[in-house]
Amino acid sequence: MDIKTLHDADIIGISTAKSAFDTLATAFGQHIESWQHDVVDRLGHSEWTGTAAGHANTRISNLGTELQAAKQELGLVSRALQDAYDGFAAAQAHLISALDDAKKQKLTVADDGGITWDKDPNSPNFAGNDAENQAKQIQSRITAALNEADHADQAINTRLAHLATNASNGTGLDSATAKADQAATDALSQVPAAGTDPNSVKAWWNGLTDEQQHRMILNHPDQIGNLDGIPAAARNDANRTNLKNLIQDRNRQLNDLGPEPKQYLGYVKGEPVTNPEYEKWKAKHDALKKQLEGFQSIQDRLDGKVDDGAGGPSSNPPLLLLGIGDQGQGRAIVSWGDPDKARNVSSLVPGLNSNLAGVGGGDAATAKGIYDAAVQSARYNNEPPSVASVFWLGYDAPQLDGPSVLMQDRANEGGAAYQKFLTGLRATHEGAPAHMTAQGHSYGSLVVGKATQQPGGLPVDDIVLVGSPGVGVDKASQLGIGADHVYVGTAKNDPVADAPAPGMLVPGWAAYEAIAHPDGAWHGTDPASQSFGGQRFSVADGTMTDSHDNYFGKHGKGGDSLSNIGKIVSGHGSTITREDPR
């Protein structure tokens, strides 16, 4: 496909052909109805019996089935032509838009796609000082439009060739074949169910034209944005729409609650009597308000309306929204850099007290700190930095309002979701496989541990565990990637990492537990212990009040922790500052 061919293409002919097939399919359907009425129904009510009658009726029945299959196949030709028209029309529109913008920018586009411009500041046709950058953007848009047309061309060719073969060799008269063809066509307009294997999702997405993908993002942002196996750029586009929808919905629901009811109905013996309607109103109001504030904090981050200013439209690296939802306490996944293009991809799972509001605030800053540390490590090793740093709140993190942090049920659910998310990143990555690092902080380390025990394991190269109360296994080698690729950071005074095994709290059992399980932690063996077998890196001791939060350089604390994490993420784990296991 070249510029002139796409620009001058008369795509109305495709629409005309589609209309002709619609007419043909309608007429064919009418003939089938006549056949049913004039032949099948009359024979069914006749008194013709015997062997010949039996054979005739069987053949007539089979013929009716074949006619219905043929009608279905004709309809599929019409749908294929409509999809082709939509695809070519979109590609042509995108090309013309790019060429029009080039003309406005005083750029000249040659037939082969080359772009030139007047560089003389004194010339009336001077394209401006930003001409080179504008030319690159126009060139990218032209290339994308041509690729879009090629994709549409290949897709329609494949579909029509298949249907033509069915028509010529008679397989299109088979009801099973027609049913399979119908299912394949329907799949192009139906979003795979949540939980579908990410590799299957990616194959489905690749089978869509650019225009079909665009329509999916517009029509189903909540599904596309949170479906593992969809490329990061598409997820980001869908989730930005979905985030705005969630904010609007929370505002609408708050307005629909109406005015606040009276808190008290009166007094009995001097004590206030609470109004039940107020209690109901307050519970709904506070839950909606909390989610609204969380979603709005993420929107503010994406708009660059935060104290550090990072994350806005011109952010470098760009901030992508890879997941957003209102399930449970809320879901949010952000990434500094595109994980589909980066050579080094980190994904951090947070722990206790993590929530939506934090994702837009300090948690996004944490992920950015990891990004910066990995970039610094790459540059130190004379490598061009190529990093994506993900913050993954894809589960209900334990809160301080109950005993959930002591249990493993949230980690089990989160581990399954996290494993599928990373499998999706593997599926959508472009070029050579990325070096991927899974990170778990606090209870999030247990989520990572549970993810490694899912069927197929966790598709990462390295694992980082910090402030961990245990990961559900006794040995680093049980995490599925080799103990030499499991890195552990534990501050000396971290009260979470020092949480004892449950048996240590049972009267009469403490002495036994101390002897039988000297390296026991709340959720298994202490990852910082020698018996666990991980690679321990240096972290500042900290204090009982701040050490658990200092692994990612908060307030400049944590010692070598963040730089060590950056080395691991950039693929230089062998250069960490080591610390002896305890």
Side-chain angles (χ1 to χ4, degrees):
M1 186 67 64
D2 55 45
I3 292 175
K4 182 174 176 52
T5 299
L6 179 57
H7 183 277
D8 296 342
D10 181 10
I11 60 174
I12 296 300
I14 302 176
S15 181
T16 301
K18 188 263 183 190
S19 297
F21 266 94
D22 286 342
T23 301
L24 178 60
T26 299
F28 195 77
Q30 293 171 345
H31 287 308
I32 294 175
E33 291 178 4
S34 298
W35 160 265
Q36 180 71 36
H37 179 267
D38 295 338
V39 178
V40 179
D41 291 347
R42 289 185 179 182
L43 286 176
H45 293 92
S46 72
E47 297 180 357
W48 186 26
T49 59
T51 302
H55 287 310
N57 284 325
T58 298
R59 180 64 190 113
I60 288 171
S61 176
N62 290 340
L63 182 57
T65 300
E66 291 173 356
L67 290 173
Q68 290 293 343
K71 178 187 175 184
Q72 196 168 12
E73 292 275 294
L74 282 175
L76 294 179
V77 173
S78 176
R79 285 190 60 176
L81 290 170
Q82 181 62 57
D83 288 345
Y85 175 82
D86 291 343
F88 283 122
Q92 189 178 63
H94 293 156
L95 173 65
I96 292 173
S97 175
L99 295 176
D100 287 345
D101 286 347
K103 188 175 182 179
K104 293 176 184 176
Q105 297 290 336
K106 299 182 179 180
L107 304 174
T108 301
V109 181
D111 289 342
D112 63 359
I115 301 178
T116 57
W117 59 92
D118 192 333
K119 300 178 182 180
D120 183 2
N122 298 315
S123 171
N125 293 319
F126 177 52
N129 295 324
D130 195 39
E132 183 173 0
N133 181 52
Q134 294 295 330
K136 289 180 180 178
Q137 293 183 32
I138 296 294
Q139 181 67 70
S140 177
R141 291 167 60 188
I142 291 173
T143 300
L146 295 178
N147 288 339
E148 189 175 0
D150 280 333
H151 191 156
D153 187 38
Q154 292 169 11
I156 186 62
N157 180 63
T158 299
R159 290 169 68 181
L160 290 180
H162 172 74
L163 293 170
T165 298
N166 287 356
S168 62
N169 63 19
T171 54
L173 300 177
D174 176 62
S175 60
T177 297
K179 183 179 180 180
D181 289 343
Q182 184 71 52
T185 298
D186 290 343
L188 297 177
S189 58
Q190 295 174 352
V191 181
T196 300
D197 174 64
N199 290 290
S200 297
V201 171
K202 181 59 166 52
W204 166 78
W205 185 257
N206 286 346
L208 304 178
T209 65
D210 289 351
E211 179 60 20
Q212 288 170 326
Q213 292 174 357
H214 181 63
R215 289 203 302 268
M216 285 290 175
I217 292 171
L218 290 177
N219 297 334
H220 309 284
D222 55 333
Q223 294 172 272
I224 295 299
N226 294 290
L227 191 58
D228 297 319
I230 298 294
R235 292 183 70 159
N236 175 64
D237 289 344
N239 283 321
R240 286 175 181 257
T241 297
N242 194 31
L243 176 58
K244 288 182 170 61
N245 291 341
L246 288 167
I247 291 173
Q248 291 175 357
D249 179 72
R250 267 48 191 177
N251 278 317
R252 179 188 59 76
Q253 289 192 56
L254 282 168
N255 290 332
D256 289 347
L257 284 178
E260 178 180 329
K262 292 172 53 178
Q263 185 173 359
Y264 302 113
L265 296 176
Y267 292 84
V268 175
K269 295 181 180 180
E271 295 295 326
V273 178
T274 301
N275 181 0
E277 291 304 313
Y278 170 81
E279 295 293 327
K280 293 179 183 178
W281 182 93
K282 186 73 163 56
K284 291 180 180 179
H285 175 274
D286 290 354
L288 288 169
K289 192 72 173 177
K290 186 175 182 180
Q291 280 207 340
L292 175 60
E293 290 172 351
F295 290 137
Q296 188 61 56
S297 78
I298 296 170
Q299 185 64 63
D300 289 344
R301 170 65 71 174
L302 294 173
D303 292 339
K305 298 178 181 179
V306 288
D307 291 341
D308 57 21
S314 59
S315 174
N316 184 23
L319 182 61
L320 306 184
L321 186 60
L322 302 184
I324 195 72
D326 58 1
Q327 307 95 311
Q329 297 165 189
R331 303 285 187 266
I333 308 169
V334 297
S335 176
W336 296 99
D338 188 341
D340 288 346
K341 301 179 185 300
R343 289 195 304 274
N344 299 292
V345 178
S346 162
S347 54
L348 171 63
V349 183
L352 180 66
N353 250 19
S354 297
N355 55 40
L356 284 174
V359 176
D363 293 334
T366 293
K368 180 60 162 56
I370 294 171
Y371 175 92
D372 291 338
V375 167
Q376 183 178 7
S377 173
R379 287 174 175 162
Y380 181 82
N381 287 277
N382 298 316
E383 297 173 353
S386 179
V387 179
S389 178
V390 178
F391 187 88
W392 186 87
L393 185 61
Y395 80 116
D396 283 338
Q399 305 296 301
L400 285 174
D401 57 1
S404 56
V405 72
L406 306 179
M407 312 301 179
Q408 296 192 8
D409 54 335
R410 297 193 181 201
N412 288 326
E413 294 177 4
Y418 184 58
Q419 192 263 359
K420 194 169 290 292
F421 172 74
L422 292 187
T423 300
L425 291 190
R426 279 291 189 207
T428 58
H429 192 269
E430 301 172 10
H435 167 256
M436 289 178 59
T437 303
Q439 297 193 56
H441 175 227
S442 187
Y443 189 89
S445 65
L446 179 61
V447 175
V448 172
K450 294 296 185 179
T452 67
Q453 306 305 299
Q454 294 295 311
L458 198 56
V460 297
D461 303 284
D462 291 308
I463 291 175
V464 175
L465 309 169
V466 291
S468 175
V471 296
V473 300
D474 294 325
K475 301 285 185 181
S477 58
Q478 294 174 299
L479 296 178
I481 63 169
D484 55 335
H485 288 280
V486 177
Y487 298 88
V488 181
T490 300
K492 180 179 179 180
N493 296 313
D494 185 343
V496 175
D498 278 340
M504 293 290 289
L505 304 180
V506 180
W509 280 84
Y512 170 78
E513 285 290 326
I515 296 173
H517 303 289
D519 296 328
W522 190 267
H523 292 297
T525 299
D526 179 3
S529 67
Q530 186 169 3
S531 63
F532 186 77
Q535 313 300 309
R536 191 170 176 192
F537 58 83
S538 174
V539 176
D541 293 343
T543 68
M544 290 288 289
T545 58
D546 71 5
S547 57
H548 189 62
D549 293 328
N550 291 342
Y551 295 102
F552 304 105
K554 186 176 182 180
H555 302 309
K557 299 180 180 180
D560 294 336
S561 180
L562 182 57
S563 64
N564 282 323
I565 291 172
K567 292 173 183 178
I568 298 165
V569 171
S570 67
H572 298 283
S574 62
T575 66
I576 59 171
T577 304
R578 295 183 178 272
E579 188 169 306
D580 292 334
R582 60 186 184 185

